[in-house]
Amino acid sequence: MKSRISHTRIILQTAIASRLILLTLTLIWRSIINPYDTSASINPNCLSTTTTTTTAPTVVFPRIAAAVENGVVWDSVYFVRIAQCGYEYEQTYAFLPLFPAFILILSRTVFQLLIPLIGDRAVLALSGYFVSNVAFVFAALFLYRLSVIVLKDPEASLRASILFCFNPASIFYSSIYSESLYALLSIGGLYFLLSGSNNLASLWFALSGCARSNGVLNAGYIGFQTMHRAYDALFLQKNLIVSLLVLVVIRPVNEPNEHKRGHVCVRLFNFNRTRTCNRTHFLFMFVH
């Protein structure tokens, strides 16, 4: 238990340090080399805006605002634009609403006081950076917990999580992209699934589908778990009725020897087939 707590602290420190290092390197390179994508400066009025003026509101720290907005390039332009103006053009529908929703909520609550200082668009961009980097830190923590369940080796899980913090695609997890949020919801959903919290797993998988379109594939984990239980009930427990109930309405789980008292246990989906069904689950009573 102590080793896991220390590992969690190490992963937390490593994840935060990796984000700070990456953001620092990004600022340094942007100050040395002009970015290839020049769309950061493109910011027309929202279509819903009734005024036709293009004069930008005065801010207290324009240089800081410009530095923050310079990171709004490539797909970041769409996420910030959706948070600012909503879905205006059909190409914006390729970007799902969960990430822009988080950006908008933070910009109107936590970072709202910064709007007079650096401007609305810079605050939206800052909110996007905050969501992505915080989501990445929690994704690294959930990856460790998930790896402990799957690998059953805390040391290997620690190494895997540290490598995740410095993976080659790390820049995408610290940009105003939805990758970090999607990784958190997908890895967290898997962790809850293997921990037996199916309702939480379903919720997190559903939210992952609101962050990125490929999140719909996470439903396959739920489907595989259900088919696995149905297989155990039909071919190992030799009970057709319980197998049908698993597929239709109920997730019956109980202690392996409960069938002697008129109960049926269907094994959990996990990598250890000898693991007992001793978690807190819904208990279905079935008389042979």
Side-chain angles (χ1 to χ4, degrees), residues 88-103:
E88 299 177 303
Y89 305 98
E90 61 181 22
Q91 62 263 33
T92 60
Y93 287 97
F95 303 91
L96 297 186
L98 185 62
F99 185 51
F102 276 116
I103 293 176

Side-chain angles (χ1 to χ4, degrees), residues 47-108:
L47 293 181
S48 58
T49 303
T50 55
T51 178
T52 58
T53 179
T54 58
T55 304
T58 303
V59 296
V60 180
F61 303 108
R63 290 189 177 182
I64 297 178
V68 174
E69 290 187 38
N70 280 340
V72 184
V73 293
W74 302 109
D75 290 354
S76 302
V77 175
Y78 292 97
F79 286 119
V80 172
R81 184 73 178 181
I82 292 170
Q84 184 179 19
C85 303
Y87 288 90
E88 299 177 303
Y89 305 98
E90 61 181 22
Q91 62 263 33
T92 60
Y93 287 97
F95 303 91
L96 297 186
L98 185 62
F99 185 51
F102 276 116
I103 293 176
L104 180 61
I105 291 171
L106 281 177
S107 67
R108 297 297 181 265

Side-chain angles (χ1 to χ4, degrees), residues 46 55 90 96 114 141 167 179 186 191 209 213 255 261 270:
C46 299
T55 304
E90 61 181 22
L96 297 186
L114 297 178
L141 293 174
N167 71 84
E179 271 78 355
S186 297
Y191 167 74
S213 58
E255 296 292 339
R261 298 196 298 270
N270 56 61

Side-chain angles (χ1 to χ4, degrees), residues 104-183:
L104 180 61
I105 291 171
L106 281 177
S107 67
R108 297 297 181 265
T109 55
V110 178
F111 299 116
Q112 185 176 13
L113 295 177
L114 297 178
I115 294 178
L117 301 179
I118 59 177
D120 184 52
R121 190 166 186 256
V123 168
L124 289 169
L126 185 63
S127 302
Y129 280 118
F130 182 84
V131 172
S132 291
N133 288 276
V134 170
F136 178 86
V137 172
F138 281 100
L141 293 174
F142 272 106
L143 179 63
Y144 171 75
R145 294 183 179 183
L146 176 63
S147 300
V148 169
I149 295 176
V150 175
L151 302 177
K152 305 190 187 313
D153 186 345
E155 295 298 329
S157 302
L158 176 63
R159 292 192 294 270
S161 300
I162 292 176
L163 289 174
F164 173 70
C165 292
F166 295 97
N167 71 84
S170 195
I171 183 62
F172 297 106
Y173 293 98
S174 284
S175 302
I176 309 176
Y177 282 22
S178 58
E179 271 78 355
S180 288
L181 184 60
Y182 174 75

